[in-house]
Amino acid sequence: MSSQLQLQEIARLSNNHPKPAHLRYQYGTAGFRTLASVLDSVLFRVGILAGLRSRKLDGKTIGVMVTASHNPEEDNGVKLVDTRGEMLEASWEAHASTLANAATTDDLIEAIEAVVRSARIDLSKPARVVYGRDTRPSGPALVAALDDGLTAVGAEIRNAGVVTTPILHYLVRAINTKGTKDAYGDDSEDGYYDKLSGAFKRLVAGKQTPSPLIVDCANGVGADAINKISPQLGESLKLMPHNTSTSTPGALNNSCGADYVKTLQRLPPSLANHLKAGQRGCSLDGDADRLMYFYIDERNQFRMLDGDKIAALVAGFIVDLVKTANLDSNVKVGVVQTAYANGSSTKYLAERLPVRCVPTGVKHLHHAAERFDVGVYFEANGHGTVLFSPGTQEILATHEPTTPAQSTALNHLRNLTQLINQTVGDAISDMLLVEAVLAHRSYSGLEWDSLYVDLPNRLVKVVVEDRHAFQTEDAERVLVSPKGLQNKIDDLVRRHDGGRSFVRPSGTEDVVRVYAEAAIKSQADELAFRVAGLVYDEAGGDPSSRPREFL
Ligand SMILES: CC(=O)N[C@H]1[C@@H](OP(=O)(O)O)O[C@H](CO)[C@@H](O)[C@@H]1O
Ligand SMILES: [Mg+2]
């Protein structure tokens, strides 16, 4: 078996990419992500794993994206994209961690042989991999290490260059469906811009041209994409890009971008003199897979429109189109959220359609959304998309409308399937989706915002000795360990009007997160800090370093 892997070549190249001793890597929610300076060996090994994954899947193309999204510029990361453009199958995450942690070249060779055996990989199959990276300065060197891994494993390589994460996902699906009845689009970056801009223009044809949209590009790769799609959108939507300094050291995600807006609930300072009262704008994150909207109201206040608001806007629109097209008896629309969704959004949505709550992390949302005919999913932080099941796409393609109104609604639905990047959350596709719905509804930011009123809420991090001592069930809404803590939280919640709170260990940081909401802001804050104090004490936190705001 191993005779078909060039073990000597792998060993020779591996010696150029030694693993730093004492470091342990984990393929987590977002792949490997840490300081760029310690990722060289990881990239080499991910190259090997990507080649093996492709061989396992009969030579279908696997994607590799080099990015650390909204993290600081000195970080970087890497994740694999499976053949339909979705996240890597969960069972292979362990293989990724095993290869990344092999101490020496000999250990690595052994680990590779173990993966080949346990995953029953037929090494006579070809390996094909497409990769891309964001604008981080550490990208080129890491891509060189990835290239070495791909060469070592004998993969056919396609370099997609500097692209957004969603474009890389698009490319993987487009390459693997090329020439089939499910062809996703031309397998090029231009193919992506053509597909999205074409669908957008068809959707808004005849509608009033919206006012120009300010786009905060987080000084990241989204700036390139916005600049490339702008001319294609022409008069249908005028984009005004800001924070486009992709080569200014230290600028990436610095006081700008979707994560800044969501976390601080604040306008990026660089936009302060640009966004006028009544005008809407949006922020992308560093790899353009998250989107936050906002506007300035008539009292000059900043108002944020987050992933929950996007879900409410989009789901409502699709439900109405399905009804108008007379398809509501065979196309069921549903929404997937996490416990972090604002309680008001859940209430608003649940009055209109089925809503499911799943654990944090895009893959949980994506899988749950696949179970609906049309599944709308968004995390409050602005990552999300809409999935149309194969059966639904078939219905949309073949249904014969009997009235002009039905025919128009059906065409809008068909165009939505083209506009929406169904592989993964995509800030640019989602931005065009929002703009299309606003144009159809004749909504300004204010009217969209008025769909429901957010409950005041607060997110607090608690540093504990061992966050793994915190275990949850019921989509992370109930703590089952440490024992008895949930009852105490329930008691606190009861004492706050409209209160809701839950506690879970973060999957990406070494902290426990506490979320609380209540009818008024002071109550939400109080509840959050009381629960945080409870968690801190329960976890045996040192009283002398107890954060002062904890109650
Ligand atoms: C409260 C919150 O925003 N959590 C984020 C964060 O996960 P944690 O497991 O909470 O650290 O990072 C995830 C990956 O980016 C994202 O999916 C999720 O929404
Ligand atoms: Mg991102």
Side-chain angles (χ1 to χ4, degrees):
M1 147 189 90
S2 52
S3 63
Q4 292 169 61
L5 274 180
Q6 306 286 320
L7 292 179
Q8 274 174 346
E9 182 66 353
I10 293 177
R12 187 182 70 78
L13 287 165
S14 168
N15 289 334
N16 298 337
H17 302 281
K19 173 185 177 292
H22 313 306
L23 279 183
R24 271 203 70 76
Y25 300 100
Q26 197 190 348
Y27 195 98
T29 329
F32 295 107
R33 196 182 286 185
T34 182
L35 277 177
S37 55
V38 299
L39 276 170
D40 181 82
S41 62
V42 173
L43 268 287
F44 174 76
R45 292 155 185 220
V46 163
I48 293 177
L49 190 74
L52 295 178
R53 179 81 185 142
S54 173
R55 291 218 160 101
K56 168 72 191 172
L57 300 170
D58 293 337
K60 289 210 184 70
T61 295
I62 291 293
V64 179
M65 183 67 199
V66 181
T67 179
S69 184
H70 55 280
N71 284 35
E73 189 166 300
E74 59 272 23
D75 286 2
N76 214 326
V78 61
K79 59 185 169 192
L80 278 90
V81 177
D82 256 342
T83 55
R84 286 168 49 244
E86 76 281 37
M87 306 276 179
L88 175 68
E89 184 187 295
S91 66
W92 273 62
E93 292 180 4
H95 295 323
S97 299
T98 307
L99 292 201
N101 288 308
T104 62
T105 289
D106 285 347
D107 294 338
L108 176 63
I109 300 282
E110 244 177 64
I112 291 170
E113 290 186 307
V115 171
V116 170
R117 270 195 308 274
S118 79
R120 299 163 178 264
I121 298 170
D122 177 352
L123 292 170
S124 67
K125 299 282 165 130
R128 298 190 180 94
V129 176
V130 57
Y131 65 75
R133 66 174 175 92
D134 70 15
T135 55
R136 281 179 163 70
S138 56
L142 291 176
V143 158
L146 174 68
D147 252 326
D148 273 359
L150 293 169
T151 306
V153 78
E156 204 179 287
I157 303 171
R158 176 166 162 186
N159 180 355
V162 175
V163 288
T164 69
T165 294
I167 289 180
L168 200 267
H169 285 254
Y170 166 91
L171 286 174
V172 171
R173 178 116 151 214
I175 292 168
N176 287 320
T177 54
K178 199 172 178 167
T180 73
K181 71 171 182 33
D182 300 321
Y184 196 57
D186 185 65
D187 64 328
S188 66
E189 208 185 326
D190 282 344
Y192 167 90
Y193 298 122
D194 287 346
K195 182 176 174 185
L196 265 58
S197 58
F200 179 78
K201 287 193 277 194
R202 290 191 298 276
L203 264 165
V204 299
K207 302 283 163 199
Q208 202 186 341
T209 311
S211 56
L213 175 69
I214 286 191
V215 186
D216 158 21
C217 301
N219 294 314
V221 61
D224 294 348
I226 290 289
N227 283 330
K228 288 179 186 161
I229 203 166
S230 266
Q232 304 227 20
L233 293 168
E235 290 306 302
S236 66
L237 178 65
K238 189 160 180 327
L239 301 174
M240 299 199 291
H242 286 259
N243 298 325
T244 55
S245 309
T246 53
S247 50
T248 305
L252 178 68
N253 297 322
N254 193 346
S255 295
C256 59
D259 196 58
Y260 175 92
V261 170
K262 176 67 182 169
T263 312
L264 299 178
Q265 312 204 358
R266 197 184 290 161
L267 185 69
S270 51
L271 297 186
N273 295 324
H274 299 282
L275 199 66
K276 308 273 177 319
Q279 197 178 6
R280 70 208 184 295
C282 62
S283 285
L284 323 177
D285 74 339
D287 64 338
D289 63 354
R290 282 195 198 177
L291 177 71
M292 295 300 284
Y293 259 78
F294 41 79
Y295 69 102
I296 303 291
D297 71 11
E298 65 285 1
R299 288 180 302 146
N300 251 335
Q301 297 291 309
F302 167 79
R303 306 281 309 177
M304 184 176 79
L305 298 150
D306 65 1
D308 301 336
K309 278 265 154 80
I310 298 176
L313 180 76
V314 168
F317 182 61
I318 294 177
V319 164
D320 286 354
L321 286 179
V322 167
K323 261 192 209 128
T324 311
N326 196 28
L327 289 170
D328 42 331
S329 49
N330 29 11
V331 176
K332 301 285 177 221
V333 184
V335 175
V336 186
Q337 300 186 312
T338 72
Y340 291 107
N342 193 277
S344 292
S345 77
T346 310
K347 181 165 177 288
Y348 173 87
L349 285 162
E351 282 163 3
R352 290 162 175 81
L353 67 177
V355 179
R356 271 206 64 198
C357 182
V358 298
T360 307
V362 176
K363 64 182 169 208
H364 297 294
L365 290 122
H366 194 93
H367 287 147
E370 281 176 329
R371 308 181 87 100
F372 289 113
D373 298 330
V374 181
V376 178
Y377 76 84
F378 274 89
E379 287 194 299
N381 63 29
H383 185 112
T385 187
V386 182
L387 304 181
F388 296 83
S389 73
T392 302
Q393 307 219 38
E394 184 69 29
I395 292 173
L396 295 179
T398 54
H399 182 71
E400 301 207 349
T402 53
T403 67
Q406 285 181 14
S407 162
T408 305
L410 182 65
N411 270 327
H412 290 334
L413 285 167
R414 287 176 181 157
N415 285 323
L416 283 178
T417 65
Q418 300 294 305
L419 176 63
I420 295 167
N421 186 341
Q422 296 185 51
T423 63
V424 75
D426 179 336
I428 292 182
S429 159
D430 289 340
M431 174 189 83
L432 295 176
L433 173 60
V434 165
E435 291 300 315
V437 182
L438 294 179
H440 275 257
R441 298 286 208 209
S442 304
Y443 279 176
S444 64
L446 175 71
E447 286 150 320
W448 170 17
D449 199 12
S450 317
L451 292 179
Y452 62 84
V453 180
D454 272 323
L455 280 171
N457 57 86
R458 184 99 198 195
L459 192 57
V460 181
K461 291 182 196 182
V462 187
V463 180
V464 297
E465 179 76 20
D466 175 20
R467 75 181 201 277
H468 302 293
F470 288 77
Q471 285 164 16
T472 60
E473 60 180 31
D474 190 19
E476 307 180 320
R477 290 172 292 190
V478 176
L479 261 186
V480 288
S481 160
K483 280 226 157 19
L485 188 51
Q486 185 62 49
N487 284 339
K488 294 181 188 165
I489 297 172
D490 291 343
D491 282 344
L492 284 174
V493 167
R494 267 192 290 277
R495 282 190 264 139
H496 293 78
D497 189 22
R500 180 170 74 93
S501 179
F502 66 94
V503 173
R504 59 174 277 279
S506 162
T508 62
E509 283 178 78
D510 194 10
V511 297
V512 167
R513 293 195 203 283
V514 171
Y515 176 89
E517 62 187 28
I520 55 172
K521 179 76 183 135
S522 59
Q523 290 268 297
D525 289 346
E526 187 189 289
L527 179 56
F529 288 126
R530 279 199 194 286
V531 174
L534 199 60
V535 166
Y536 187 84
D537 299 339
E538 186 77 28
D542 178 357
S544 65
S545 41
R546 194 176 194 268
R548 283 223 311 278
E549 61 275 23
F550 288 8
L551 299 169

